[in-house]
Each structure stands twice: as structure tokens, then as C-alpha cells.
Amino acid sequence: MAASRDLAFPLVIVCLVLIRGYSPLPTTSQVPETKPKRPLTPRGPATEAFSPDDYTNNEEDPVTTVPKKNVFPSVENPQRCDYNPCLESQIPCADLFAQTGCWCPGFTLNNVVPDTPNLESVFWNGSEVVAQWCAPYSYVTAFIVTVKGEERQRFRKDQRSGGLGDIDHETDVCVVAVNDAGDSKGCCLTYQLTDSSLPLKAGLIGGGVGFLLLFLLAVLLCRHKKQKKQEASISMHDTAETE
């Protein structure tokens, strides 16, 4: 009877353990340690405006101030380049811009077809017909002057006039600006024999005719004098024979 009582007590303990179950207590190695991050807060009172440079850091980097160089003139008071599109042998406006930072009005890039130049006049200068033009505010590599739709002369980009030789009366003369992107539209004038060229040609013709008349007159006078001398010598010879 005592043996049965001693065996029953351990069985009760085992049953209680099985009913409760086994739940191990957590250890510090099983729980990951998390440390909350400290948010960045701006220095100074909350009522003041702040910028990204105002955030506090453990290590402050030195701030280096880089001076700014003003390449272009002020927008409020722009300085235009001393460039006249109608004058010859000028420094290109792009070079003036690179040297002084001035503004070239309306210049385009080299991949844009140039604007139309302005043909100012076509006139006779005494020996040939001369054309004068103004360059467009565009990138230009050369100028072409056409007569009756055909190319007559090609000029450098810094030229603003050029001789075209002799041209027939009432002929269309055009100037075209050229660059790598193509040719501009032509600006044309109808060349007509001006009043100033007519007296010049008339004077040249009249001078030639007058010189020919003077030459003929001089020949006639020489022949007349020679004939007079011959007649005088013959009369003297006859007088000597009669004596």
C-alpha cells in the first residue's frame, strides 16, 4: 500500500508537466537589438527658415567657396558687339564674342541655313559691274552672286562687294549666303545701264573719234606743207633756167 502511494506522486507530477506544456523563456540572444535612429533636426529656432546645410552632423565638413566668373554681360545692360554687317574685312562677330563677351545680335548656329543677305546696289564703276551687299545675322562661310540665275562669282565671308565683269542691259543679279547647312534665299536686283555709265562710254567713244580726226588733220597738214615745198623748189628751178 505504501509502495502504491510512492509511485502515484511522481505520476501526478509528470501529468501536470505534460498538460502545461513546455514553453522556454526567451533569452537575450534570441531577441534582435534595435536602436532607433535619431532624425536629423535643423539647428536654430523652429520659426527660422532652414536649408540642407543647416542639418547637424557629427562631423562637419569644411565649406569651400568658389568665386563665380561673369562671362556674359549683364542682362539688364547688354553690350552689343561693335559689328556692322555691311562693312568689309571686319573681325567676325563670333571672335568678338569670344574675346570680349559681347552680344552678337541674332546669330545662328552652323547647322542652320543662313538668313537672306541684303543686296544694296549693283552699279557700273567704269570698268565692270560691281555688287554691294550686307551680311545676314547668321553663320556664313561664303557669298555667291548669280547673274541670270547662274553663279558668276563666289566671295569670302568677310567681303561685302565684288566685281562681276560686264553684264548685259537689264539683267537680274542676286546674292546668296552659304554655310554647311545649305544656301539662303537670294536677294535680287535688276541691273540697268545707269545714266552715269552712258556719258562715260560716250566720252570714251567721242575721245577716240576726236583723236582720229586730229590724227587725220595732222597728216593732211604735213602733206600740204610737203606739197608747198615741192612747188616752191620747182618754181625756183624754172626761174634759174630762164635766166
Side-chain angles (χ1 to χ4, degrees), residues 2 8 10 17 50 67 76 78-79 117 128 134 137 150 168 175 187 205 241:
V17 170
F50 61 91
E76 298 178 355
Q79 178 186 357
E128 64 177 345
C134 295
Y137 286 117
E150 298 181 358
D168 297 336
V175 61
C187 181
I205 295 173
E241 289 182 351

Side-chain angles (χ1 to χ4, degrees), residues 56-216:
T56 58
N57 296 314
N58 294 330
E59 295 181 2
E60 294 185 357
D61 297 332
V63 179
T64 303
T65 303
V66 179
K68 295 182 180 180
K69 182 179 180 182
N70 293 327
V71 178
F72 300 99
S74 174
V75 177
E76 298 178 355
N77 188 18
Q79 178 186 357
R80 293 186 178 272
C81 296
D82 186 12
Y83 179 80
N84 189 334
C86 298
L87 295 181
E88 286 191 346
S89 302
Q90 292 187 101
I91 299 176
C93 201
D95 295 343
L96 293 176
F97 166 76
Q99 294 173 5
T100 63
C102 61
W103 283 11
C104 295
F107 267 77
T108 58
L109 300 177
N110 58 355
N111 59 352
V112 179
V113 176
D115 294 333
T116 305
N118 186 24
L119 184 59
E120 292 288 309
S121 61
V122 181
F123 60 94
W124 176 266
N125 72 344
S127 60
E128 64 177 345
V129 176
V130 176
Q132 288 184 339
W133 62 87
C134 295
Y137 286 117
S138 305
Y139 177 80
V140 178
T141 58
F143 293 99
I144 297 176
V145 177
T146 62
V147 177
K148 293 183 178 180
E150 298 181 358
E151 180 177 336
R152 174 62 65 94
Q153 293 288 349
R154 181 181 290 261
F155 300 96
R156 300 188 311 272
K157 63 181 180 180
D158 61 337
Q159 290 184 272
R160 300 294 182 267
S161 64
L164 307 177
D166 195 9
I167 296 179
D168 297 336
H169 184 59
E170 292 187 0
T171 303
D172 288 336
V173 178
C174 304
V175 61
V176 176
V178 179
N179 66 11
D180 299 334
D183 301 350
S184 71
K185 295 181 180 179
C187 181
C188 304
L189 289 177
T190 300
Y191 169 74
Q192 294 181 352
L193 199 61
T194 59
D195 296 338
S196 60
S197 61
L198 287 175
L200 179 61
K201 289 186 175 181
L204 292 175
I205 295 173
V209 173
F211 177 78
L212 182 60
L213 292 175
L214 289 176
F215 178 75
L216 292 176

